[in-house]
Amino acid sequence: MDLVNHTWTQSFLLAGFTTPGALRPLAFLGTLSIYLLTLAGNLFIIVLVQADSRLSTPMYFLISVLSFLELWYVSTTVPTLLHTLLRGHSPISPTVCFVQLYVFHSLGMTECYLLGVMALDRYLAICRPLHYHALMSRQVQLWLAGATWAAGFSAALVPASLTATLPFCLKEVAHYFCDLAPLMRLACVDTRWHNGVHGAVIGVATGCNLVLILGLYGGILRAVLKLPSAASRAKAFSTCSSHITVVVLFYASAFTVYVGSPGSLLEGTDKHIALVYALLTPFLNPIIYTLRNKEVKDAMKRVRVRIRTILQEV
């Protein structure tokens, strides 16, 4: 990596992936296709929830909020990924780099909190069915959704601001976007204290949410096992299966990179793992919530019938 004086004002260089020249167009087109499908899939869920009145429930409202978040989450990093695949090493100004770092972590931590709220929703639906609609009124849904965004964007201020104030002596970022670990490797100073703060902030946010989710699903499991029939137990579990799948995908990859020391992974490893939670998970979420969900499939049929009727009248 290139050495520079710590007072430099030039751009960082995003290294991206080392892709052979012949494979670059294929990697670019594949990534672009996944990105466009991710945007289309999440937009589809948002529109479907708004278009079908039977999906006007707390669970589907929260799923649509998650889809809205994923639109921004994937759009924060994929454009720079596409640029590095097409052009190789790509310059990025320090301002844009640190804004990307902050927005990416804000959205990631917001998703952590939102997954916790979604687990709470399932717990109330299964364990407190008689009080569910009163406890999860529209006002409560909006408050919970807003609180996840406020908490996520507030918590991310700490790691982003600490990293932005570091003096940098290197400029080549061994990643396809500006993230904590690759940026701290460029610093002129010992970053162990920064690593500890980052690990504590992100670890507490993600760890507490994971403990909450596990606790809520423990309560769900106890309640479901008390149901009288196998059919009712299967139906109850089916409403949770999609959420559990998303939680496992998101937390397994995010914990690997961020919990503990953000600089503890081998250089270049984090960018491969980042593809899971920054690209693959947002791509899979619409598939998980549609292909495994009978209510969504039924809603799609109703919307198709309505559209066909409208077109025939025209």
Side-chain angles (χ1 to χ4, degrees):
M1 290 187 288
D2 299 327
L3 282 170
V4 292
N5 187 282
H6 73 269
T7 60
W8 63 276
T9 58
Q10 303 172 28
S11 300
F12 289 110
L13 282 176
L14 295 175
F17 291 95
T18 305
T19 310
L23 294 178
R24 273 188 184 177
L26 185 61
F28 175 84
L29 290 174
T31 304
L32 179 61
S33 298
I34 292 174
Y35 177 51
L36 294 176
L37 287 171
T38 301
L39 295 181
N42 284 289
L43 278 171
F44 172 76
I45 287 179
I46 295 170
V47 171
L48 186 65
V49 171
Q50 294 296 317
D52 191 88
S53 59
R54 297 190 190 181
L55 296 184
S56 298
T57 64
M59 183 177 78
Y60 289 107
F61 169 75
L62 293 172
I63 289 173
S64 67
V65 173
L66 177 63
S67 292
F68 179 74
L69 187 151
E70 297 288 29
L71 291 175
W72 293 101
Y73 191 59
V74 74
S75 297
T76 303
T77 59
V78 173
T80 53
L81 172 59
L82 291 170
H83 195 270
T84 57
L85 287 173
L86 196 62
R87 300 290 182 87
H89 283 53
S90 300
I92 182 171
S93 73
T95 301
V96 174
C97 183
F98 294 128
V99 168
Q100 183 184 55
L101 172 71
Y102 171 64
V103 173
F104 177 75
H105 279 273
S106 296
L107 293 170
M109 296 178 85
T110 299
E111 183 162 348
C112 288
Y113 292 121
L114 185 59
L115 290 173
V117 170
M118 293 172 78
L120 175 64
D121 170 72
R122 291 298 82 211
Y123 174 83
L124 294 175
I126 293 171
C127 301
R128 299 288 186 273
L130 297 179
H131 306 288
Y132 174 61
H133 291 290
L135 292 171
M136 288 296 289
S137 65
R138 191 64 173 180
Q139 185 177 0
V140 172
Q141 294 170 43
L142 293 171
W143 185 88
L144 287 172
T148 61
W149 286 78
F153 275 75
S154 298
L157 280 171
V158 175
S161 58
L162 281 178
T163 306
T165 55
L166 286 170
F168 294 98
C169 291
L170 299 159
K171 68 176 183 177
E172 185 176 310
V173 184
H175 212 302
Y176 65 88
F177 67 92
C178 292
D179 203 0
L180 286 174
L183 280 174
M184 286 194 293
R185 294 191 191 104
L186 312 184
C188 305
V189 296
D190 188 345
T191 60
R192 281 178 293 183
W193 179 81
H194 297 77
N195 286 337
V197 174
H198 296 163
V201 171
I202 297 173
V204 167
T206 55
C208 288
N209 274 281
L210 185 58
V211 170
L212 172 66
I213 291 170
L214 292 175
L216 290 170
Y217 272 108
I220 290 172
L221 180 62
R222 287 193 298 271
V224 169
L225 292 177
K226 293 178 182 178
L227 293 175
S229 67
S232 58
R233 290 194 293 271
K235 183 178 180 181
F237 277 128
S238 69
T239 65
C240 303
S241 59
S242 297
H243 180 254
I244 293 171
T245 304
V246 171
V247 168
V248 171
L249 278 172
F250 183 82
Y251 274 93
S253 54
F255 263 60
T256 303
V257 174
Y258 297 111
V259 176
S261 169
S264 60
L265 292 176
L266 293 175
E267 183 174 328
T269 304
D270 39 10
K271 67 183 176 182
H272 291 90
I273 301 174
L275 287 174
V276 177
Y277 59 84
L279 180 63
L280 185 61
T281 301
F283 170 69
L284 291 177
N285 280 356
I287 299 173
I288 292 168
Y289 281 116
T290 55
L291 296 183
R292 301 183 62 182
N293 193 310
K294 186 178 183 300
E295 288 181 328
V296 172
K297 293 177 183 178
D298 292 340
M300 290 166 60
K301 292 176 183 176
R302 290 192 295 269
V303 171
R304 278 201 303 268
V305 170
R306 193 186 310 166
I307 293 173
R308 192 180 301 117
T309 302
I310 293 172
L311 292 175
Q312 287 174 352
E313 290 176 354
V314 173

